[in-house]
Amino acid sequence: MSRDRDFTSVGRALAAPARSAFLNLLMDGTRRPAGELARAAGVSASTASEHLAVLVDAGLVTCEARGRRRYYALAGPRVATALEALGALADPVPVSGYRRSREMRTLAAARLCYDHLAGRLGVALTDAWTHRGWLTDRESLTLADAGATGLRALGVDVDGALRARRPTTRACPDWTERRTHLAGALGAAVGTRFLAAGWVVRHPSGRGLNTTDSGRELLRETWGIELTDRSPAT
């Protein structure tokens, strides 16, 4: 059996700015109605429907009907991982205006990569946990016993992550930091805990996250992490 892959169908599905805008919005793991995606991409409802049908046919996006409305989401964490990795190769969207510049700074500082923490926050936590021996091997990010104990103490559902059918840990390429952050079932459990505890909150504009005062205190006092503002990644 050939191990080669035909990338053309996926390439065609990605080859439109509107579809790229849709996928960027859905990278935080949310389900969004077609109308919201159309407004964000600056296209008509009919045009958005055509683009979304292409993404669904390519297996990149799923569609769920709720009454008269249709909601769209990424087709799972594998798609999010592939798109995050492609982000390291893709050109950045041109930043024009103060509002867009702030949005890009927010994404670079902290964001959800489908269901786990990414950006400087995700990479800094991965670095700190590797340095402490909570995660071993910077390439595979295997969970150590000390890490399981430490994360349980934070309220992270480690046992649920260990029982999950998906890999417990995985190194996910971070397109803004050009390094890896923690993904997999454990990464998702960490993301869920940070949101539930109020250490991060979703940014109103999309997939970006804001670190709260309690979150910054946790990062500083527990792992010595100070997140400073920087210009958007280019």
Side-chain angles (χ1 to χ4, degrees):
M1 180 183 296
S2 172
R3 295 182 180 272
D4 292 339
R5 295 292 182 266
D6 184 358
F7 298 108
T8 55
S9 61
V10 175
R12 285 194 295 268
L14 296 175
R19 295 173 210 156
S20 178
F22 297 160
L23 292 171
N24 272 289
L25 281 174
L26 297 175
M27 279 288 289
D28 63 355
T30 55
R31 292 186 177 275
R32 297 175 185 261
E36 179 183 336
L37 294 170
R39 288 190 296 273
V43 298
S44 67
S46 59
T47 300
S49 295
E50 293 174 1
H51 284 307
L52 287 165
V54 172
L55 294 174
V56 171
D57 288 343
L60 299 175
V61 166
T62 61
C63 177
E64 177 185 349
R66 298 181 185 175
R68 299 177 61 184
R69 305 184 78 181
R70 293 180 180 273
Y71 287 79
Y72 295 86
L74 286 190
R78 292 179 63 185
V79 174
T81 298
L83 293 175
E84 187 79 5
L86 280 175
L89 302 176
D91 294 330
V93 176
V95 177
S96 59
Y98 179 70
R99 178 179 178 181
R100 181 58 178 164
S101 179
R102 282 183 59 87
E103 289 175 358
M104 289 303 295
R105 283 199 296 270
T106 299
L107 284 180
R111 64 183 182 277
L112 284 176
C113 176
Y114 190 67
D115 57 6
H116 56 269
L117 301 176
R120 290 198 300 281
L121 173 60
V123 171
L125 285 170
T126 302
D127 285 345
W129 295 344
T130 303
H131 180 72
R132 287 204 171 191
W134 288 16
L135 299 170
T136 61
D137 186 350
R138 196 62 175 78
E139 296 301 317
S140 64
L141 300 179
T142 303
L143 178 66
D145 290 342
T149 299
L151 291 172
R152 285 192 186 101
L154 288 174
V156 176
D157 185 11
V158 174
D159 298 304
L162 292 171
R163 291 193 302 269
R165 294 184 177 181
R166 60 195 286 197
T168 303
T169 60
R170 187 174 52 75
C172 181
D174 194 293
W175 65 270
T176 55
E177 294 300 290
R178 303 296 194 269
R179 301 179 64 201
T180 56
H181 55 248
L182 175 66
L186 184 63
V190 169
T192 297
R193 176 56 179 156
F194 268 64
L195 283 166
W199 296 328
V200 295
V201 295
R202 292 179 183 268
H203 195 274
S205 66
R207 60 186 282 223
L209 298 172
N210 288 333
T211 307
T212 63
D213 289 342
S214 61
R216 284 189 289 271
E217 181 180 357
L218 172 77
L219 295 172
R220 183 175 56 253
E221 299 298 327
T222 309
W223 300 295
I225 297 173
E226 293 279 0
L227 294 180
T228 57
D229 188 34
R230 288 208 309 255
S231 299
T234 57

